[in-house]
Structures are given as C-alpha cells and as structure tokens.
Amino acid sequence: MDPKGEISEIRERALSEIASAQDEEEIESLRIAYLGREGRLTMILRSIGGLPENRRAEVGKEANAAKKAIEDALKDAQEALAQQPRKPSLDVTAPGVPVNLGTRHPLRLVLDEVLDIFVAMGYSIAEGPEVEEEWYNFTGLNIPEDHPARDMQDSYYVGQDLVLRSQTSPIQLRYMQTHAPRLPVRIVGPGRTYRRDTEDPSHSPVFHQCEALLVDKGVHMGNLRGTLTEFARRLFGDAVNVRFRPSYFPFTEPSAEVDVTCTNCWERGCSTCGGQGFMEILGAGMVHPRVLENGGYSPDDVSGFAFGMGIERLAMIKFGISDLRSLYRNDLRFLRQFGGRLR
Ligand code: PHE
C-alpha cells in the first residue's frame, strides 16, 4: 500500500478508537499501540528513511501530522476523563433491585405433596434411570415380548434392548434386586416417563409418574386399600372415598383401577367426572409372584402391593386444570396461580 494511504488509515483508526476509550487504561494501551516503540505509526516513521528521496519529505510531513493529531486526541481524551466525576462504587442510598425468585411448578408442588405423605408413612424415596433396559421396563415385570400390554405403552427405543421407560414400575425391580432379602421394602419412586402418545388435553409423550411398592410378610389387599384411602384423604381432604374397580396389569394380581371422590360434585355426578361421581387416579394391585421372584424375593414367604399414579393427572384434579398441555407451555401467568411462590 502507498505509505500515505496507510498513514491516513492509521490516523483515522486511532482517532476513532481513542474517541470511544472508556478509561485511563484503555487510553494508555492505545498510546502504546500507535505511538509506542513498536507502535504502528512509529514503524512508519522509522521506515521513511528507506523511501526514495523524492518522497521522504512528503510522507514525513504526513506522518508527523498524524502523530500530532493522535497525541492531541490522547491528551483530550485524558482530560475529558479527568473532568468526569468519579462514580462511587456503591451508592448506599439507591433503592434495592427486586429479586425475581420464580415459582415452583404445579407438577413439583403435587409431587412434593405426594412424597411428603408417603415419607410420613415410613416410605423411602427410590429412583431409577429414564433410559431403561427392556427387561426392567417390560420382561421382568411379566410383560413378555409379544404381549399386547407392550403396545399400550409403545415406547421410544433408543438402542438394542434400551427404551425410554414407559412407566416407573421398573424402579420396583431395581430396588428389590439391590435390597433382597431385606424386609420390609417400602418405597415411592417418582420420575419422568415416556410413551408414544400424541399430545391432547389428557396426553403428553413425556409425563410423570410416582410408583409405590410395599413388600413384607403377610401383606394383603386390605393393607393396600387402607393405605390408598389414607393417601387420598391426605391429598384431597378427609371427605373423599376411594373405590376399587377390577382391572388388569401384568405385574399385579389381582389388579385394580382406583378412583377417588370427584371433588367437583362430591359423588353426585358432573361433567368433570363424566357423570361417574368418581375420578380415576391410579392403577394398583398385589405384586405378581413372578415379579417378586425377579426381584429376589420368595412369593412363598412374602407378599406385597404396588401402585402407580400419573402426576399430571393428580395436578389437573387438584388444581382444576382442564388441559394437560398448559402445564408445559411455560406461561408464567398460568404457572404462578398455584401457590408455589418462593419467598
Ligand atoms: N405402571 C402402571 C401404569 O403405568 C401403573 C401401576 C403401577 C399399576 C403399579 C399397578 C401397580 O399404568
């Protein structure tokens, strides 16, 4: 490049950088960058001796003018900075900045309540992987490979024999296997679950469940009924009843669908409960002997009950939410309504 062109480019650059410098330190480092011993303009000044004689004077003049302009700009910038009143680092008289603490999600609120109820009854909390082995999610729970129950919980396969768990029931098996033959087994297992369902007001491909498992000597269906009645009353209030309807799950025998009094109509029948007076809240039953065996316990010596509930469903009932999808839309105006404020 022509030395004159280069000089004017350096000059413009320097002036604009100096104009936007914020503090002494920045001004000093610009001085070094342009006028220091290795500075860009210094290098040009030093190379003038090597130019053809007829150009030296002209380029030298240009370079010196640029040097002067940059020096002046540095001086001006320094003075301007010195005039500015120094900002105090802390103004103790300024009003405080409000801290936005957010809100606990309605699903979290309900799950915490559920867990609290069971922990108060002596249950421990157990967890399991969301990416689960097919054996724990299906086969070990007495759902053989060609069983229609697999279709009902059509899952996402993520590899050979690996699924995103379609239920929290695999937690039962994992816990029994690592604790057998100790008694009692008394756990609740919350977690995220996945099914190949299309989104609608009551379905989501990702949802949450909470499992419960109790294994001990002589556990019977009456214990299951008593436990569920107590649980329902602590969650929905003393006035609710539970109702068992015969059902089928491969991992429990006998199995039941469990309903609780509709808290909208108190068993008179309304549109919320489809005229039933009751709302289904969970699936339950006596642990199938084969599942006890797979967990390392002898069905001749011990028995147990298990149940599993959908957390979205409980939240919808408890808070009167009509569309499950609103739980996932992250609209704060909606999410803040449920008393989960953190203070
Ligand atoms: N895992 C069952 C479901 O997802 C619920 C269930 C759990 C039923 C434990 C019985 C016992 O539908």
Side-chain angles (χ1 to χ4, degrees):
M1 197 199 269
D2 173 67
K4 273 173 82 179
E6 201 177 340
I7 291 165
S8 82
E9 195 197 291
I10 291 174
R11 171 187 179 142
E12 255 160 58
R13 247 247 159 107
L15 294 184
S16 95
E17 285 177 15
I18 293 166
S20 56
Q22 299 291 333
D23 53 34
E24 300 261 356
E25 216 174 300
E26 234 179 290
I27 293 171
E28 178 57 12
S29 69
L30 287 168
R31 196 190 61 74
I32 292 166
Y34 289 98
L35 306 178
R37 273 183 36 190
E38 313 264 310
R40 291 189 63 190
L41 194 64
T42 311
M43 303 304 266
I44 299 258
L45 281 161
R46 218 179 277 158
S47 70
I48 286 172
L51 289 174
E53 218 167 317
N54 62 349
R55 298 214 55 202
R56 282 183 208 160
E58 172 204 355
V59 174
K61 201 172 145 204
E62 195 74 21
N64 279 317
K67 187 176 178 192
K68 174 94 175 40
I70 294 173
E71 283 171 347
D72 288 349
L74 286 168
K75 210 167 132 235
D76 288 350
Q78 234 151 7
E79 276 167 14
L81 212 61
Q83 306 254 303
Q84 260 177 38
R86 275 188 178 273
K87 272 198 219 128
S89 52
L90 174 69
D91 179 357
V92 292
T93 66
V97 180
V99 178
N100 196 344
L101 271 183
T103 313
R104 249 172 285 149
H105 194 279
L107 289 175
R108 185 74 243 176
L109 288 172
V110 170
L111 180 57
D112 279 348
E113 226 181 300
V114 169
L115 295 177
D116 280 352
I117 292 170
F118 285 107
V119 167
M121 293 192 214
Y123 286 69
S124 325
I125 297 172
E127 290 188 315
E130 283 176 39
V131 179
E132 183 57 281
E133 289 168 43
E134 207 180 349
W135 190 86
Y136 285 100
N137 195 73
F138 291 123
T139 321
L141 288 169
N142 199 32
I143 314 177
E145 203 153 318
D146 48 9
H147 197 281
R150 284 208 188 193
D151 296 342
M152 277 161 48
Q153 300 194 1
D154 199 4
S155 344
Y156 298 96
Y157 281 76
V158 295
Q160 185 74 32
D161 299 333
L162 274 186
V163 293
L164 298 187
R165 68 178 172 201
S166 61
Q167 48 185 349
T168 43
S169 302
I171 295 174
Q172 293 185 24
L173 280 173
R174 287 186 174 275
Y175 189 89
M176 283 193 278
Q177 284 186 347
T178 48
H179 289 77
R182 271 173 279 166
L183 290 174
V185 171
R186 196 160 48 197
I187 53 156
V188 271
R192 193 168 292 149
T193 45
Y194 303 82
R195 284 184 202 179
R196 278 182 44 185
D197 280 334
T198 307
E199 266 201 349
D200 69 24
S202 56
H203 291 87
S204 160
V206 183
F207 60 107
H208 299 78
Q209 287 192 334
C210 185
E211 195 81 6
L213 171 70
L214 183 129
V215 179
D216 207 345
K217 286 189 194 295
V219 176
H220 54 76
M221 198 101 177
N223 302 132
L224 172 59
R225 212 187 144 89
T227 302
L228 285 175
T229 304
E230 185 60 24
F231 164 64
R233 291 187 175 162
R234 289 197 194 179
L235 190 64
F236 294 109
D238 282 342
V240 300
N241 297 310
V242 295
R243 179 172 89 167
F244 279 39
R245 280 179 292 114
S247 185
Y248 172 77
F249 297 103
F251 33 89
T252 46
E253 180 59 33
S255 303
E257 215 80 71
V258 178
D259 301 340
V260 61
T261 299
C262 171
T263 49
N264 190 46
C265 66
W266 300 98
E267 297 178 21
R268 272 182 298 244
C270 67
S271 60
T272 309
C273 56
Q276 296 295 303
F278 281 84
M279 297 195 277
E280 184 191 322
I281 56 162
L282 52 83
M286 301 306 292
V287 183
H288 194 288
R290 210 166 287 150
V291 176
L292 287 172
E293 256 164 23
N294 288 341
Y297 287 90
S298 162
D300 297 331
D301 300 334
V302 302
S303 55
F305 64 66
F307 49 93
M309 60 195 107
I311 301 303
E312 278 76 359
R313 197 174 164 71
L314 290 183
M316 288 169 76
I317 295 174
K318 202 167 162 68
F319 296 130
I321 298 169
S322 56
D323 190 336
L324 179 153
R325 291 169 293 189
S326 48
L327 290 166
Y328 295 116
R329 284 201 187 110
N330 288 339
D331 182 340
L332 293 182
R333 291 167 305 178
F334 171 80
L335 295 174
R336 289 215 159 120
Q337 295 175 81
F338 306 103
R341 283 283 164 88
L342 297 166
R343 285 167 223 276

